[in-house]
Amino acid sequence: MSIWFTEKQTENFGITMKINKTYVSEQTEFQKLDMVETEEFGNMLILDGMVMTTQKDEFVYHEMVAHVPLFTHPNPKHVLVVGGGDGGVIREVLKHPSVEKAVLVEIDGKVIEYSKQYLPEIAGDLENPRVEVKVDDGFMHIATSENEYDVIMVDSTEPVGPAAKLFEKGFYEGISKALKEDGIFVAQTDNPWFTPELITQVFSDVSEIFPITRLYTANIPTYPSGLWTFTIGSKKHDPLEVPAERFHDIETKYWTPQLHTAAFALPKFVSDLI
Ligand code: AG3
């Protein structure tokens, strides 16, 4: 007998994977957490029935969340990751030598604990001395920060459950206040096939707050539709005007200097959303 997991991505459509083992299946204080081994994509973290990350394709999301804003900023020193308790974004942030301190604010300590145990190559850098891990509410952390960060990355779940307030305009206003005068932020903003209205709404909210607002995409096979979007809000630096010499050498599997710019070239039906 084989066991299969389906994420129902919409009422009528889903993604199905063969599961070899279930390591954890637990209701935490905030959400349902499952950690499983899949045949095709290695170990996988599922929150509230939604695929968060897998060993095989995690690099796409984590590299694209981290490197696009970090290379856009000329000298990012102080960085905040909201959510992202699996540690993947932090691992990529640490590849930038200018970063002196990276703060991770994850609401659910269990995500951190089980990621360290079952996703060690993703979570391994959470112990790095340049990293400060806080198990806390990211929304509150933003609300109480002022003029502190060069770059903020919002690595949230979907806008249901604990992350719903991370997609509201008031949160982006808080982010703007928490950023320094030339700060940049990025948020994962779902996909254009099943949640086009969300992309339009977030883009419009962010562009009312930030002078430079941009949308870019990456291919993530285990996320709904595979075509994922990220929205950037920037006070001064434009991700489309990064001087070539700023792209220092780093080891990546998805991001390249060419892709940094190419990721902003949108299919027509996607650019029509913004
Ligand atoms: N956070 C965004 C995952 C969204 C996936 N959505 C879904 N499967 N319906 C990923 C966390 C990785 N650090």
Side-chain angles (χ1 to χ4, degrees), residues 8-14:
K8 261 181 81 186
Q9 299 176 334
T10 74
E11 276 307 301
N12 315 301
F13 191 87

PDB file of all heavy atoms in Angstrom, residues 8-14:
ATOM      1  N   LYS A   8      -4.904  20.466  -1.489  1.00  0.00           N
ATOM      2  CA  LYS A   8      -5.981  21.038  -2.309  1.00  0.00           C
ATOM      3  C   LYS A   8      -5.665  22.510  -2.502  1.00  0.00           C
ATOM      4  O   LYS A   8      -5.826  23.322  -1.605  1.00  0.00           O
ATOM      5  CB  LYS A   8      -7.314  20.887  -1.572  1.00  0.00           C
ATOM      6  CG  LYS A   8      -8.133  19.704  -2.064  1.00  0.00           C
ATOM      7  CD  LYS A   8      -9.449  19.618  -1.326  1.00  0.00           C
ATOM      8  CE  LYS A   8     -10.486  20.590  -1.890  1.00  0.00           C
ATOM      9  NZ  LYS A   8     -11.712  20.624  -1.093  1.00  0.00           N
ATOM     10  N   GLN A   9      -5.148  22.845  -3.661  1.00  0.00           N
ATOM     11  CA  GLN A   9      -4.694  24.225  -3.884  1.00  0.00           C
ATOM     12  C   GLN A   9      -5.870  25.170  -4.136  1.00  0.00           C
ATOM     13  O   GLN A   9      -5.787  26.363  -3.873  1.00  0.00           O
ATOM     14  CB  GLN A   9      -3.707  24.262  -5.046  1.00  0.00           C
ATOM     15  CG  GLN A   9      -2.456  23.417  -4.751  1.00  0.00           C
ATOM     16  CD  GLN A   9      -1.508  23.356  -5.915  1.00  0.00           C
ATOM     17  OE1 GLN A   9      -1.922  23.506  -7.064  1.00  0.00           O
ATOM     18  NE2 GLN A   9      -0.243  23.127  -5.639  1.00  0.00           N
ATOM     19  N   THR A  10      -6.943  24.615  -4.709  1.00  0.00           N
ATOM     20  CA  THR A  10      -8.200  25.356  -4.812  1.00  0.00           C
ATOM     21  C   THR A  10      -9.290  24.346  -4.470  1.00  0.00           C
ATOM     22  O   THR A  10      -8.987  23.175  -4.195  1.00  0.00           O
ATOM     23  CB  THR A  10      -8.469  25.886  -6.246  1.00  0.00           C
ATOM     24  OG1 THR A  10      -8.854  24.788  -7.076  1.00  0.00           O
ATOM     25  CG2 THR A  10      -7.241  26.580  -6.840  1.00  0.00           C
ATOM     26  N   GLU A  11     -10.535  24.735  -4.558  1.00  0.00           N
ATOM     27  CA  GLU A  11     -11.633  23.804  -4.332  1.00  0.00           C
ATOM     28  C   GLU A  11     -11.585  22.634  -5.316  1.00  0.00           C
ATOM     29  O   GLU A  11     -12.070  21.547  -5.039  1.00  0.00           O
ATOM     30  CB  GLU A  11     -12.974  24.544  -4.508  1.00  0.00           C
ATOM     31  CG  GLU A  11     -13.416  25.269  -3.247  1.00  0.00           C
ATOM     32  CD  GLU A  11     -13.437  24.345  -2.037  1.00  0.00           C
ATOM     33  OE1 GLU A  11     -14.165  23.331  -2.073  1.00  0.00           O
ATOM     34  OE2 GLU A  11     -12.706  24.630  -1.060  1.00  0.00           O
ATOM     35  N   ASN A  12     -11.010  22.883  -6.496  1.00  0.00           N
ATOM     36  CA  ASN A  12     -11.139  21.904  -7.584  1.00  0.00           C
ATOM     37  C   ASN A  12      -9.818  21.410  -8.152  1.00  0.00           C
ATOM     38  O   ASN A  12      -9.803  20.782  -9.209  1.00  0.00           O
ATOM     39  CB  ASN A  12     -11.930  22.551  -8.746  1.00  0.00           C
ATOM     40  CG  ASN A  12     -13.137  23.274  -8.229  1.00  0.00           C
ATOM     41  OD1 ASN A  12     -13.998  22.670  -7.593  1.00  0.00           O
ATOM     42  ND2 ASN A  12     -13.192  24.577  -8.445  1.00  0.00           N
ATOM     43  N   PHE A  13      -8.719  21.737  -7.492  1.00  0.00           N
ATOM     44  CA  PHE A  13      -7.424  21.439  -8.093  1.00  0.00           C
ATOM     45  C   PHE A  13      -6.410  21.207  -6.987  1.00  0.00           C
ATOM     46  O   PHE A  13      -6.449  21.876  -5.950  1.00  0.00           O
ATOM     47  CB  PHE A  13      -6.996  22.641  -8.959  1.00  0.00           C
ATOM     48  CG  PHE A  13      -5.815  22.363  -9.836  1.00  0.00           C
ATOM     49  CD1 PHE A  13      -5.987  21.810 -11.097  1.00  0.00           C
ATOM     50  CD2 PHE A  13      -4.522  22.647  -9.402  1.00  0.00           C
ATOM     51  CE1 PHE A  13      -4.892  21.552 -11.913  1.00  0.00           C
ATOM     52  CE2 PHE A  13      -3.425  22.378 -10.217  1.00  0.00           C
ATOM     53  CZ  PHE A  13      -3.615  21.841 -11.469  1.00  0.00           C
ATOM     54  N   GLY A  14      -5.507  20.235  -7.222  1.00  0.00           N
ATOM     55  CA  GLY A  14      -4.525  19.970  -6.175  1.00  0.00           C
ATOM     56  C   GLY A  14      -3.217  19.409  -6.712  1.00  0.00           C
ATOM     57  O   GLY A  14      -3.076  19.157  -7.906  1.00  0.00           O
TER      58      GLY A  14
END
